[in-house]
Amino acid sequence: MSNRVSAASCFARGVALSLSKPYLAVSLWLIQLLLACVLVLPVSNAMHALLDHSSTGSRMVADPDFGWWETIRRTHPDLLGDLPTAVEHATSVEGVKPDSLARLQGIGAAAISLALLGIVLHAFALGGIFGALREPHSSLVVFGREGMRRFPAFLAFTLAALAAALAAYHWIYLVTGEAWRDRLNDLDTEGQAMALTAVRVVVLLLALAAIKLLADSVRAIWVARPDLPPVSRLFAGFAAATSRPARLFGVLVLYVLSSAALYVLWIYLDPSAGGEARFALVPLILAQQVFVFLRSLLKVGYYAGVSEALTRVPSPEYSYVPAAGAASVDRAPDEAAVEGSAGAI
């Protein structure tokens, strides 16, 4: 019966569960807002100083002038550093060099530092999400408690996944770019060179997707199987990911498509239109925050969908509670007993 569960049904149940526990999306939204607020003052002060006496300042919200941004990058390297150049090189043949991060300054350096802090908060948030999803009645208190309880293990998983992603980027994209750099000029057409780069990007994306799904499966099983010792939970997560790859990949694809649909809707609605009015920035910022909150709902729905894909119709060895009449199993000292049906999250 478990093989008949489709990725679409798992993702739909995950989104429904996310809507039933909106405080999880609120938590993610607040964490993202906390990280963004660190850059609000320096960015806004720089924008005011540079645009208040500019003839293009009144039009920048509704119709950004990219030539103005190029001028700012050239005349104020202390403001952005080499971050825009590093972003441009991310999809080039050579890729991003590790030494380019050392030259970052200003807002670019602050963004990289916030990304490192975001890794820590990411581990805490995922611990709280996966822990709260299995509770029939939970709240922000449960989110914080479960986040701190799972934090050491989830931080290790996050750092391991990050290291694997960087290794995949280096060997699949960067090294192949160096190897093919001299041969690209020998190709007959520019389309062939673009096709070769597209193949490298697709292979890299597939490797990153596999790393993400493996890490998320380990997190889901880590929370779902408190009766197992840590090493057994780790290998059980690997086994769960490799036994249901199509279903997990389908959940990830549906999440990506849903997020892309939000961006398409944002572009179609174009809430920045009419931004020449001074107070049009207020509804624009509010609309942006609604958009971020909707993305948080989808993100929680994705993680709930992963749990559904792995444990919705669990086999006996993946049941959350022992079968009737079976002997009780000792749990880890940091885990509480799980109540509810075998198929509940």
Side-chain angles (χ1 to χ4, degrees):
M1 183 182 297
S2 59
N3 294 329
R4 298 179 181 177
V5 179
S6 65
S9 61
C10 291
F11 182 71
R13 284 193 291 263
V15 173
L17 187 60
S18 175
L19 294 174
S20 67
K21 299 176 183 290
Y23 57 86
L24 296 177
V26 171
S27 302
L28 290 183
W29 174 73
L30 290 176
I31 290 174
Q32 296 176 69
L33 187 62
L34 172 66
L35 294 174
C37 284
V38 178
L39 292 178
V40 166
L41 283 179
V43 171
S44 63
N45 290 340
M47 293 290 289
H48 279 293
L50 296 171
L51 287 177
D52 282 350
H53 303 288
S54 173
S55 59
T56 61
S58 60
R59 304 194 308 270
M60 284 298 293
V61 175
D63 186 17
D65 184 0
F66 294 101
W68 183 85
W69 287 108
E70 292 295 330
T71 303
I72 293 299
R73 289 177 54 187
R74 183 177 65 254
T75 58
H76 292 276
D78 55 323
L79 179 62
L80 297 177
D82 293 336
L83 182 63
T85 303
V87 173
E88 291 176 1
H89 290 171
T91 56
S92 66
V93 176
E94 294 81 6
V96 178
K97 303 295 183 180
D99 57 353
S100 63
L101 299 179
R103 297 194 299 267
L104 291 177
Q105 51 186 325
I107 295 175
I112 295 298
S113 301
L114 287 177
L116 298 178
L117 177 60
I119 293 174
V120 177
L121 295 178
H122 178 266
F124 167 78
L126 288 188
I129 289 174
F130 278 106
L133 283 175
R134 74 170 189 171
E135 296 286 345
H137 303 287
S138 54
S139 61
L140 285 177
V141 176
V142 176
F143 173 84
R145 183 196 67 198
E146 295 297 318
M148 291 306 298
R149 175 183 293 180
R150 322 286 179 184
F151 177 74
F154 276 37
L155 180 60
F157 300 154
T158 302
L159 293 177
L162 177 62
L166 293 177
Y169 174 78
H170 175 78
W171 292 105
I172 297 177
Y173 192 84
L174 192 58
V175 172
T176 56
E178 292 287 348
W180 283 90
R181 180 174 54 183
D182 297 332
R183 300 183 182 182
L184 288 177
N185 296 327
D186 299 333
L187 296 177
D188 297 333
T189 63
E190 183 180 358
Q192 293 179 354
M194 295 178 62
L196 181 60
T197 303
V199 170
R200 293 165 51 218
V201 172
V202 170
V203 174
L204 175 61
L205 291 178
L206 291 176
L208 295 179
I211 293 171
K212 176 175 177 56
L213 291 176
L214 185 63
D216 291 339
S217 299
V218 170
R219 294 185 183 104
I221 299 300
W222 189 273
V223 176
R225 293 304 309 274
D227 55 302
L228 295 178
V231 176
S232 299
R233 277 186 279 181
L234 181 65
F235 285 105
F238 292 156
T242 55
S243 63
R244 301 172 176 88
R247 190 187 305 171
L248 289 172
F249 186 73
V251 173
L252 178 61
V253 169
L254 289 174
Y255 165 64
V256 172
L257 293 178
S258 301
S259 300
L262 276 181
Y263 283 104
V264 172
L265 182 62
W266 175 269
I267 295 174
Y268 174 76
L269 295 178
D270 193 14
S272 63
E276 297 182 5
R278 183 172 183 84
F279 294 102
L281 280 176
V282 176
L284 174 61
I285 294 174
L286 293 178
Q288 290 173 341
Q289 295 308 309
V290 172
F291 174 81
V292 173
F293 177 71
L294 292 177
R295 281 201 67 246
S296 299
L297 281 174
L298 285 178
K299 185 174 295 185
V300 175
Y302 159 74
Y303 290 118
V306 169
S307 296
E308 291 278 340
L310 294 175
T311 58
R312 178 64 185 179
V313 187
S315 55
E317 63 270 23
Y318 287 106
S319 297
Y320 289 176
V321 294
S328 61
V329 184
D330 294 337
R331 291 182 169 84
D334 64 331
E335 302 288 353
V338 181
E339 298 179 358
S341 61
I345 292 182

